[in-house]
Amino acid sequence: MDSYTCTVCAYVYNPEDGDPDAEIDPGTDFDSLPEDWVCPVCGASKAEFEVVE
């Protein structure tokens, strides 16, 4: 599973960690996140994220 970085604030979504504050379980792939999920740091939408290479 790929990690994704927010192009607005550089937060990295790591699927191994999930997003506990948003009740996203560890092991949740970025593509499986709800469409209304936003960056927990700056509130940017999923569209503002890019895969970490």
Side-chain angles (χ1 to χ4, degrees), residues 26-45:
T28 302
D29 187 58
F30 186 82
D31 292 334
S32 298
L33 293 172
E35 286 304 312
D36 61 351
W37 180 85
V38 296
C39 177
V41 175
C42 72
S45 70

Side-chain angles (χ1 to χ4, degrees), residues 5-44:
T5 188
C6 178
T7 60
V8 176
C9 73
Y11 165 81
V12 176
Y13 174 77
N14 183 343
E16 292 179 8
D17 299 331
D19 181 4
D21 293 336
E23 298 181 2
I24 305 296
D25 292 329
T28 302
D29 187 58
F30 186 82
D31 292 334
S32 298
L33 293 172
E35 286 304 312
D36 61 351
W37 180 85
V38 296
C39 177
V41 175
C42 72

